[in-house]
Amino acid sequence: MPDDTPPTQLPGIAIIGGGPAGLMAAEVARSAGVDVDLFEAMGSVGRKFLIAGKGGLNLTHGEPRPAFDARYRERADAVGRWLDAFDAQALREWAAELGVSTYIGSSGRVFPDDRKAAPLLRGWVRRLRESGVRFHVQHRWLGWDADGALRFATGDGEQRRQAAATVLALGGGSWPQLGSDGTWTSTLSHAGIAIRTLQPANCGFDIDWSPYLRQRFAGSPLKPVIAHWTDEHGHAHVLQGECVISEDGIEGSLIYAASADLRDVIARDCQAVLHLDLAPGRDAERLLAALSRPRGGRSFGEHLRRQAGLGPVQVALLFEALGRDAASDLPRVVAAIKHLPLRLRRPRPMAEAISTAGGVQLEALDDALMLRERPGVFCAGEMLDWEAPTGGYLLQASFASGLIAGRAAARHALTLQHR
């Protein structure tokens, strides 16, 4: 039955989404003197933030700008403007105000001293409550009614709220069990907002492994290796790092760093080829000389381990590519050790990805992140059409965009109040 009761009139702004972008929007809006109601679909806020911190919360990165900005690829200029308002140093100072000191690790990544997310989130939510932010959990946003009121599904049925301004910080489409399921895309598309289809980012890829390799080596690390790949524009890339053989293909930090390029090539060509150097410390000439030594009674696999320094998984990958009679062509073996081709069939499903690409097109927003088609509605965080590698860049842009949207929403609400 339709609900004919008038919507509840909020005294200030509504923020929908309790991730880092939404919480930051709430903080800056409340500090501007605006009443803030924050709505979260799950039973508590910051769930994905907590999961991201399980292995050590990577808040941001120590890389200097403008190299930092370039991590956002084609959105570098736009995200760079967000970082002008709230950069990595500002984020570290903000954490320090919450009593969380940080350090820059050897990789350049920035972590809390205790590497934990929970203390920071608890202190942050406590400060927001004490400042007057009102939290409403288990409120799933359904869109707008015909009069522009916000619709929410709750345990007590549908509720409607009217706000002076709204910040949408609904997340992307990865890890849907934590709340960011991407269902908002259809709601905004029906409202005439330009949306780029969500895609997996920082993800693994499927490879058609043999049953033997899948069963024997799933979970085995490859480290260190050097990856070589070519992006959709024909530009060659080289990066050293670590990855992991999975039951379905390959994943890990090295693969995530290349995933945007590889995903786009697969979209164009239906596959992508990634080459791995399995022996970064040895050149081809030395390898050929070592493998040309007599084997005695040893198997060729054992010979590869002893003379080329390869582990069991590297040897298995060579046999996967060359077959068991590889020993008859040593130059071909050496070429494969230094440039092993892996055919990537498809990205892993979006629900498994660390983050997503796509979302609300930035061209649909003004510089204050307000929707041009819906004045008074602002967007922030991963629901916007940008992507970045892991390493702190994802959280940094989410915090920064939340700050910009929250400030602008507060200004919009205050302007309406003073009319």
Side-chain angles (χ1 to χ4, degrees), residues 34 47 98 118 137 157 214 268 277 296 417:
V34 177
R47 291 196 174 191
L98 285 167
V137 297
R214 178 182 296 113
R268 184 191 65 190
D277 181 347
Q417 289 176 12

Side-chain angles (χ1 to χ4, degrees), residues 87-98 100 102:
D87 62 10
Q89 183 58 35
L91 179 49
R92 297 184 69 188
E93 292 171 358
W94 169 85
E97 292 172 1
L98 285 167
V100 176
T102 57

Side-chain angles (χ1 to χ4, degrees), residues 65-145:
R65 301 179 65 192
F68 194 115
D69 302 19
R71 299 292 183 175
Y72 299 95
R73 296 164 59 88
E74 63 271 13
R75 295 304 195 184
D77 289 343
V79 178
R81 290 191 290 272
W82 307 348
L83 300 183
D84 290 341
F86 194 72
D87 62 10
Q89 183 58 35
L91 179 49
R92 297 184 69 188
E93 292 171 358
W94 169 85
E97 292 172 1
L98 285 167
V100 176
S101 56
T102 57
Y103 72 94
I104 301 177
S106 58
S107 64
R109 299 182 179 204
V110 175
F111 299 93
D113 285 349
D114 63 4
R115 296 178 64 88
K116 296 179 180 178
L120 188 152
L121 182 62
R122 281 197 302 267
W124 192 9
V125 171
R126 182 171 58 250
R127 186 168 74 179
L128 290 172
R129 290 188 187 279
E130 291 171 351
S131 75
V133 174
R134 293 179 289 269
F135 288 82
H136 309 269
V137 297
Q138 294 181 329
H139 278 61
R140 177 172 292 277
W141 183 62
L142 301 175
W144 296 277
D145 68 10

Side-chain angles (χ1 to χ4, degrees), residues 21-32:
L23 294 174
M24 180 56 76
E27 179 167 332
V28 296
R30 187 72 192 105
S31 66

Side-chain angles (χ1 to χ4, degrees), residues 199-215:
Q199 304 178 78
N202 292 297
C203 59
F205 292 86
D206 286 345
I207 298 174
D208 294 334
W209 297 132
S210 67
Y212 170 79
L213 193 138
R214 178 182 296 113
Q215 295 164 11

